[in-house]
């Protein structure tokens, strides 16, 4: 077997076993797996031949591609060169035109049932699909062929999940998300505008380890990433509870890091692990830079959450709708704790579901 | 005589198709087509003008932030809002960070493989590679062991028969001309640049919460409040130290890796100084205000345009002279296909008349692209780093002049050599260096303001829509890394009534106009030699030298009779 595994490849570049285990630990933490799975993850990455991955771009802005290029843990070069064989991805692949299309065709034919397909961007369905063609074929045609032959399909970003911005009213091109465009395929949706690569890397690692996707919610999103309210993880939460709000942009409250609820923050109505995973090697996230959350990982958020500067009238999820100002610390704290407990219980798979051959040695 | 089709053109943003006519081994004619369309201008109608920047930013993420900035500027222009000095500085910092990161990603990850043969690296002698690297730069990662490690990594990849991203390249193509050692050095820097861009862009995380798609712009300023004494302030001394620390890495990387690499690679391909000439007209809106936005004379990069490759004269720009044709684009105008319309008039509607997919060829004598054809006073304009550097050079910008003359002297070439494929690459590299030289100073300026007690970051006088006139019009201009960008907005009763965007790649990648004048890509491809038309590497070289971003270029729609129902939450 000529194919090399990730740790072997890392070792050949002088990267220690220690570093590899650090990476596995980071993945285990992101996936909210219990510690005992560390060995399983390490083992799986140790032995896996590099599965082939193809990345399709339709009506997109390449934001998910760019987010992918910011991958830190694992480093982006390791992902695209050593963890997987990343054989089609318009924005960064070497080949073009005929040669690029031939590469995709080879994967679909020769790796059928074995490769991972990632899709970025919405799929236009109006007027015979003329609003997005690649090599003279419509996005819909390509999506159908490539995703139905894949072992697993991951829709990254809001557009691929539910049509995103492209689908917003009045949806001029009849754009839809992937699972609507190609019904019947199994898709894991990684919403966000764009997706956060830390989550996507974790999903891929989970798949390589357990040969199945992590636990999903009703939108086929992994619970570990989309199971908790932004508001419950926000570092400004204490100020919300204390009634300390930014009232005007640039005011004293904004300099003290007070709550952005009154400036339109959608954190109380949005789930995502944005505040904990953060962006760009964990450097920051929007609230930390002083602007409210726009609920970019919520279903159809462009239409549902705009106007973005209008404060949320209600904070939902408490059985009865009450305005945010009426909610005291006790109520919120209790519900938050419940949400968190529920999330932890449901995000990882029970031990029995781990396929035998992947159990720690 | 053969028709060569390259679709998809990869290593760009968005979906681009090139059809070229080839006679006697050379391109005799070319057509550029954008093949994707979303309709963002229509989607932002009837929305709050203060949030449109969040929407338009999603036009493109490779050049994230540019459509956010142009949008807030357009609304500020319409409502006559001046932003505080600190907001200007933060915006300039975000923009210059974008230029540096974007230009580096372009050279290494989107363009280098047109010049560098990955498989060539396998034949290199690591010791000689080390000598080569050390002869052109101080960059410390240059030992024999280091290059041996990189070579082993490539070898493993090749031996695994799973080449990943490199699967379908034109390896072994006769037009590749680097010695194996230069190939190996470039592959090493391709990998290093992947890490550099990721780490450097953390400046955006601090100033915008995340990248791509920053989230800190506001009509009237920025959300990044600053305070020298508050640990939770988005900007405080500690975070400014961090910005300085990260920004400093850019100068080192650009001086020691990017510039030496560009010079070294160009040295083996000097004939590309006389290939790939565009229309000869160069436009720049100017960038990086050093005072008020209207004080265009004080922009760090000047505004102006050049005609017919004549560097002795720079003309002033009148944004009212920008107009678009749809003669060869899948749109229709009520007045027919022969007229052009200004963005402020902005009446357009999509109408696909191309072949039914799947198709083999476009009908290039009719309509063949989702891009319109923008013209300035009926002139075809090239935009981008080359245009900016030429306008600055011809305007007598001392720093730019010194840098450009330095490169010309290095190659013993006259200024006319700049009107070429390699000229674009050189201009982009010089611009990167120029900004890397200044970014730390701009951060320090922000720190000084903060320490002096100037904490203003937002002008809230007109935040409340009830203070607005019942109708207003404005435009926001900016030089995105890829060239001249303009947003035009019309506001009525607190909502967007009309929105029009004319972006860099529409200028460069657009089709022919009513007079049959080719767009810049189409012109630049003429006479391109093709050693092997089955593997049209040389077409990629010239097209990539423009750094295409097609998602940007195709966004326009105004389908008649469809309006967005206003919805309250
Ligand atoms: S409203 Fe927003 S800023 Fe305030 S605590 Fe909730 S998530 Fe954080
Ligand atoms: S803060 Fe909200 S809108 Fe912003 S990136 Fe995170 S989840 Fe998306």
């Amino acid at each position: 077997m000529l194919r090399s595994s990730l740790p072997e490849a890392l070792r050949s570049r002088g990267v220690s076993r220690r570093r590899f285990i650090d990476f596995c630990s980071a993945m285990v933490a992101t996936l909210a797996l219990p510690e005992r799975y560390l060995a399983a993850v390490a083992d799986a990455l140790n032995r896996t031949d590099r599965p082939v991955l193809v990345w399709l771009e339709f009506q997109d802005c390449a934001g998910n591609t760019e987010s992918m290029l910011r991958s830190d843990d694992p480093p982006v070069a390791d992902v695209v060169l050593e963890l997987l064989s990343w054989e089609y991805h318009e924005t960064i692949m070497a080949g073009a035109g005929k040669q690029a299309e031939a590469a995709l065709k080879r994967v679909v034919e020769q790796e059928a049932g074995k490769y991972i397909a990632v899709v970025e961007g919405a799929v236009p369905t109006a007027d015979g699909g003329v609003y997005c063609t690649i090599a003279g074929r419509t996005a819909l045609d390509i999506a159908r062929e490539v995703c139905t032959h894949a072992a697993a399909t991951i829709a990254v970003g809001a557009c691929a999940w539910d049509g995103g911005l492209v689908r917003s009213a009045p949806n001029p091109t009849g754009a839809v998300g992937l699972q609507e465009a190609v019904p019947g395929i199994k898709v894991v949706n990684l919403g966000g505008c764009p997706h956060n690569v830390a989550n996507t890397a974790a999903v891929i690692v989970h798949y390589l380890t357990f040969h199945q996707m992590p636990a999903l919610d009703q939108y086929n999103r992994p619970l570990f990433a989309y199971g908790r309210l932004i508001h419950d993880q926000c570092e400004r939460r204490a100020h919300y509870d204390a009634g300390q709000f930014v009232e005007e942009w640039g005011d004293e409250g904004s300099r003290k890091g007070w709550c952005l609820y009154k400036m339109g923050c959608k954190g109380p109505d949005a789930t995502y692990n944005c505040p904990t995973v953060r962006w760009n090697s964990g450097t920051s996230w929007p609230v930390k830079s002083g602007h409210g959350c726009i609920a970019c990982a919520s279903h159809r958020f462009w239409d549902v959450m705009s106007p973005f500067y209008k404060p949320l009238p209600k904070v939902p999820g408490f059985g009865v709708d009450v305005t945010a100002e009426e909610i005291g610390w006790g109520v919120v704290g209790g519900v938050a704790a419940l949400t968190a407990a529920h999330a932890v219980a449901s995000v990882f798979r029970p031990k029995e579901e781990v396929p035998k051959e992947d159990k720690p040695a | 005589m053969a028709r060569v089709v390259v679709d998809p053109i990869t290593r760009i943003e968005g979906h681009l198709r090139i059809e070229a006519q080839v006679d006697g081994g050379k391109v005799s004619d070319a057509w550029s087509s954008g093949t994707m369309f979303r309709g963002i201008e229509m989607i932002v109608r009837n929305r709050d003008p203060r949030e449109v920047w969040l929407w338009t930013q999603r036009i493109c993420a490779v050049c994230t932030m540019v459509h956010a900035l142009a949008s807030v500027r357009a609304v500020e222009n319409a409502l006559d809002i001046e932003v505080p000095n600190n907001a200007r500085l933060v915006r300039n910092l975000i923009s210059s960070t974008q230029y540096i990161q974007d230009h580096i990603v372009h050279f290494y990850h989107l363009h280098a493989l047109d010049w560098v043969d990955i498989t060539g690296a396998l034949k290199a002698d690591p010791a000689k590679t080390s000598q080569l690297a050390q002869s052109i730069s101080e960059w410390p990662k240059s030992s024999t062991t280091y290059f041996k490690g990189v070579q082993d990594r490539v070898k493993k990849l090749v031996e695994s028969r799973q080449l990943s991203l490199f699967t379908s390249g034109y390896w072994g193509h006769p037009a590749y001309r680097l010695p194996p050692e230069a190939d190996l050095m470039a592959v090493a820097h391709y990998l290093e640049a992947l890490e550099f861009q990721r780490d450097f862009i953390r400046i955006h995380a601090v100033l915008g919460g995340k990248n791509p798609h920053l989230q800190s712009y506001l009509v009237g300023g920025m959300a990044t409040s600053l305070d020298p004494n508050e640990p939770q302030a988005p900007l405080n001394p500690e975070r400014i130290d961090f910005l300085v620390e990260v920004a400093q890495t850019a100068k080192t990387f650009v001086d020691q890796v990017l510039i030496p690499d560009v010079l070294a690679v160009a040295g083996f391909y000097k004939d590309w100084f006389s290939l790939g000439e565009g229309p000869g007209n160069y436009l720049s809106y100017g960038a990086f205000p050093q005072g008020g936005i209207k004080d265009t004379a004080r922009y760090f990069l000047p505004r102006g345009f050049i005609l017919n490759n004549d560097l002795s004269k720079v003309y002033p720009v009148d944004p009212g002279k920008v107009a678009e044709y749809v003669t060869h684009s899948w749109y229709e105008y009520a007045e027919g296909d022969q007229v052009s319309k200004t963005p402020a008039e902005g009446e357009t509607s999509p109408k696909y008349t191309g072949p039914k997919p799947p198709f083999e060829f476009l009908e290039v004598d009719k309509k063949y692209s989702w891009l319109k054809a923008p013209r300035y006073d009926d002139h075809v304009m090239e935009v981008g780093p080359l245009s900016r550097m030429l306008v600055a050079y011809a305007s007598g910008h001392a720093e730019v002049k010194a840098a450009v003359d330095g490169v010309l002297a290095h190659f013993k070439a006259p200024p006319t050599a700049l009107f070429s494929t390699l000229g674009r690459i050189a201009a982009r590299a010089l611009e990167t260096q120029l900004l890397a030289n200044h970014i730390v100073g701009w951060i320090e300026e922000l720190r000084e303001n903060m320490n002096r007690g100037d904490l203003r970051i937002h002008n809230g006088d007109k935040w409340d829509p009830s203070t607005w006139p019942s109708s207003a019009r404005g435009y926001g201009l900016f030089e995105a890394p890829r060239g001249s960008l303009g947003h035009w907005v019309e506001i009525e009763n607190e909502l967007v009534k009309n929105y029009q965007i004319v972006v860099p790649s529409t200028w460069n990648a657009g089709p022919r106009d009513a007079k049959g004048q080719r767009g810049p890509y189409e012109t630049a491809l003429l006479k391109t030699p093709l050693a092997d038309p089955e593997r049209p590497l040389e077409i990629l070289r010239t097209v990539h030298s423009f750094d295409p971003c097609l998602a940007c270029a195709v966004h326009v729609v105004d389908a008649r009779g469809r309006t967005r129902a206003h919805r309250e939450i």
Side-chain angles (χ1 to χ4, degrees), chain A residues 249-296:
Chain A
W249 297 114
D251 69 0
E252 196 191 340
S254 77
R255 298 198 293 272
K256 290 194 147 84
W258 287 358
C259 171
L260 290 156
Y261 167 76
K262 291 190 177 177
M263 309 313 283
C265 181
K266 305 292 182 263
D269 202 8
T271 63
Y272 203 10
N273 57 359
C274 183
T276 51
V277 172
R278 301 190 171 189
W279 295 86
N280 308 107
S281 315
T283 305
S284 189
W285 68 296
V287 165
K288 189 172 161 140
S289 77
H291 193 283
C293 167
I294 60 170
C296 73

Side-chain angles (χ1 to χ4, degrees), chain A residues 50 57-59 61 69-70 80 82 86 90 94-95 97 131 133 135 254 280 291-292 303 306 308 310, chain B residues 7-8 10-11 15 35 37 51 58 61 153 160 162 164-165 197 210-211 215 225 358 534 562 567-569:
Chain A
R50 287 179 305 147
E57 295 171 85
F58 299 130
Q59 283 177 302
C61 68
L69 290 175
R70 310 289 181 265
V80 297
E82 270 111 21
W86 205 278
E90 279 185 74
Y131 298 106
T133 64
S254 77
N280 308 107
H291 193 283
D303 274 331
S306 161
F308 294 117
K310 194 170 164 182
Chain B
D7 180 6
T10 52
R11 283 182 279 124
H15 301 287
T35 63
F37 167 86
E51 70 173 53
R58 269 73 184 180
R153 198 175 183 188
S160 77
Q162 287 189 300
S164 206
L165 290 177
Q197 59 87 24
K210 71 198 239 275
N211 168 289
Q215 204 159 303
S225 293
E534 281 299 303
R562 293 184 183 173
R567 184 193 40 73
E568 287 283 329
I569 60 163

